[in-house]
Amino acid sequence: IVRFVLGQNSATTLTITDMAGRVLQSVEGDFVKGENAIKVSAGKLPAGVLYYQLRTENSIATKKMILVK
């Protein structure tokens, strides 16, 4: 689960990539102001270091995560 807080209602895209920048999973949706969460299916993702990028109409944030299976 990837949790995030928005300052306003916004169309948002969560993109998960590997270290080479290949897109492994992408989720788009309209989310509300305040706390939100996106459930990610880890079954199709490889173990190891991955990056996720949260893109809204006004901002982009990129974080690193480690997936252990």
Side-chain angles (χ1 to χ4, degrees):
I1 295 177
V2 176
R3 298 180 192 280
F4 56 96
V5 177
L6 295 176
Q8 63 187 24
N9 295 353
S10 180
T12 303
T13 302
L14 173 72
T15 305
I16 299 173
T17 60
D18 62 13
M19 290 183 62
R22 291 182 293 254
V23 174
L24 303 175
Q25 195 171 43
S26 185
V27 178
E28 296 180 12
D30 293 318
F31 293 90
V32 297
K33 178 180 177 178
E35 289 189 37
N36 293 275
I38 297 175
K39 188 172 182 178
V40 176
S41 175
K44 298 179 182 180
L45 297 174
V49 177
L50 302 173
Y51 293 91
Y52 64 95
Q53 182 179 78
L54 194 66
R55 181 183 298 260
T56 68
E57 299 163 353
N58 300 321
S59 66
I60 300 172
T62 303
K63 301 284 184 172
K64 180 169 56 172
M65 67 177 165
I66 299 174
L67 179 61
V68 180
K69 290 189 174 186

